[in-house]
Amino acid sequence: MSLSRAPRAALLTAVVAVGALTLSACSGDSNGKSGGGGDTNFVTGTGGISTVAKGKRTTPRKLSGETLDGKQLDVADLKGKVVVMNVWGSWCAPCRAEAPHFAKVSKESEAKGVEFVGINTRDPNKGPAIAFEKDYGIGYPSLYDPMGKLIVNGFPKGSLNPQSIPSTIVLDREGKIAARSLTALDSEELHKIIDPLVAEK
């Protein structure tokens, strides 16, 4: 009996957490407030972009699974590159607004050792998400996370984690969480987050 309760408890936790994301989804909140509790070691600047000093960054938990095109992807395999992870849904208006900027900057920064990865969430089937990527010229892979399990379980408590949709989390070359935005970003804002990490020695 306890074995059957465990998966239900895990599912309930994921549903509750995704519900919390729903409340903040597409809110456009840019006041820069951050959660996590305790000594979080990060600083939130103007525009709601939070950063962590190099020596105080944490490593995300496992972020892997099936992509929208049916392949397997493990973000840990991208260590050595700056990784820009964007949490999005095809139903989200701010996600649509920022998508052309992500498509553009992903192409501009690829030669500099930057890899973009989407985390598609709350799309109950892949069709609308695949159409979204085609419409906006998204050439990088997106993990398919309809129930938000990667979002809930992939980021340690107290770290910079996705708290709204869209959210963008950037990992440094060591695979550690270096920056986060909880609002839609344009090309200039993306470069402001990415370029300092590309320049790090």
Side-chain angles (χ1 to χ4, degrees):
M1 194 164 184
S2 62
L3 289 176
S4 63
R5 285 181 182 171
R8 285 182 192 169
L11 180 61
L12 181 60
T13 301
V15 169
V16 169
V18 172
L21 274 176
T22 302
L23 295 175
S24 56
C26 299
S27 65
D29 179 17
S30 61
N31 61 13
K33 291 182 181 173
S34 302
D39 181 10
T40 54
N41 291 321
F42 57 84
V43 176
T44 304
T46 56
I49 296 171
S50 304
T51 57
V52 184
K54 191 171 184 182
K56 297 183 177 180
R57 296 172 187 165
T58 57
T59 304
R61 297 189 184 113
K62 194 163 182 66
L63 292 166
S64 65
E66 185 176 306
T67 61
L68 287 172
D69 60 1
K71 296 175 181 173
Q72 290 296 312
L73 173 66
D74 188 340
V75 172
D77 292 340
L78 302 175
K79 194 172 178 181
K81 297 185 177 185
V82 172
V83 179
V84 181
M85 294 183 295
N86 180 243
V87 178
W88 65 279
S90 66
W91 43 268
C92 168
C95 300
R96 292 193 289 273
E98 72 176 4
H101 300 285
F102 276 75
K104 177 176 180 280
V105 177
S106 69
K107 290 174 185 145
E108 290 173 353
S109 56
E110 187 176 6
K112 298 176 183 176
V114 179
E115 189 79 32
F116 278 62
V117 175
I119 300 178
N120 172 255
T121 192
R122 291 183 53 217
D123 273 312
N125 61 68
K126 291 182 178 181
I130 291 169
F132 177 103
E133 289 191 325
K134 185 177 179 182
D135 289 346
Y136 291 104
I138 303 294
Y140 52 84
S142 281
L143 290 162
Y144 183 52
D145 188 30
M147 295 297 294
K149 290 180 182 179
L150 293 176
I151 297 167
V152 173
N153 300 319
F155 300 88
K157 186 176 180 181
S159 70
L160 294 177
N161 51 59
Q163 296 176 1
S164 62
I165 303 166
S167 286
T168 300
I169 310 286
V170 186
L171 308 182
D172 64 17
R173 286 196 181 93
E174 295 176 4
K176 295 184 176 181
I177 302 166
R180 175 190 68 187
S181 172
L182 298 178
T183 60
L185 298 171
D186 63 22
S187 299
E188 184 180 345
E189 291 164 329
L190 269 169
H191 277 294
K192 279 182 184 175
I193 298 175
I194 297 167
D195 293 350
L197 294 171
V198 169
E200 279 186 354
K201 301 299 180 189

